[in-house]
Amino acid sequence: QVQLVESGGGLVQPGGSLRLSCVASGFALTLYTVYWYRQPPGKERELVAQITSVSGSTKYTDPVKDRFTISRDNAKNTAYLQMNDLKPEDTAMYYCSAKSVGDRAYWGQGTQVTVSS
């Protein structure tokens, strides 16, 4: 069964850290560009970070630059989003997605991140 499963979300105080994981099954994640999106309450989903399949080059949306790091461990078929110095405005449902040329995009079910004191 082809699926992506996110984990690692939770409640954290401002300034804290979380590491989100995205585990792929049923396909080789190494062949796919991986994206992390988030959807804050009442707002549209936005792209947070991406990492390409071959070169592993990364891109980030400006609000998370220098705080978030996307990475992948192809041996574990897993991608990660390390989030440091979290802010209340980072509160959202976080989703991972994987896309390869010529294939459909796969999505996980999401993991909730809440930043609050």
Side-chain angles (χ1 to χ4, degrees), residues 5 9 11 19 24 47 65 98 105 107:
V5 179
L11 173 64
R19 188 176 80 157
L47 178 61
K65 282 181 180 177
W107 289 85

Side-chain angles (χ1 to χ4, degrees), residues 6-114:
E6 302 99 331
S7 63
L11 173 64
V12 64
Q13 293 185 343
S17 298
L18 285 173
R19 188 176 80 157
L20 306 183
S21 298
C22 172
V23 180
S25 58
F27 67 103
L29 193 61
T30 184
L31 301 177
Y32 289 70
T33 293
V34 176
Y35 306 86
W36 281 99
Y37 287 82
R38 66 185 180 186
Q39 187 166 16
K43 296 184 179 181
E44 294 186 353
R45 190 174 299 187
E46 62 176 350
L47 178 61
V48 174
Q50 66 183 70
I51 183 167
T52 61
S53 59
V54 178
S55 66
S57 63
T58 58
K59 289 183 180 180
Y60 301 89
T61 187
D62 284 345
V64 310
K65 282 181 180 177
D66 301 322
R67 297 190 299 121
F68 289 12
T69 302
I70 188 172
S71 62
R72 61 196 305 158
D73 184 336
N74 291 329
K76 294 183 178 180
N77 224 27
T78 301
Y80 304 96
L81 185 68
Q82 177 67 43
M83 305 185 297
N84 298 328
D85 189 24
L86 283 161
K87 306 176 185 298
E89 52 264 39
D90 295 318
T91 295
M93 184 71 79
Y94 284 72
Y95 300 89
C96 71
S97 177
K99 179 73 171 71
S100 181
V101 175
D103 198 2
R104 52 158 287 191
Y106 298 104
W107 289 85
Q109 82 292 345
T111 186
Q112 178 67 40
V113 172
T114 302

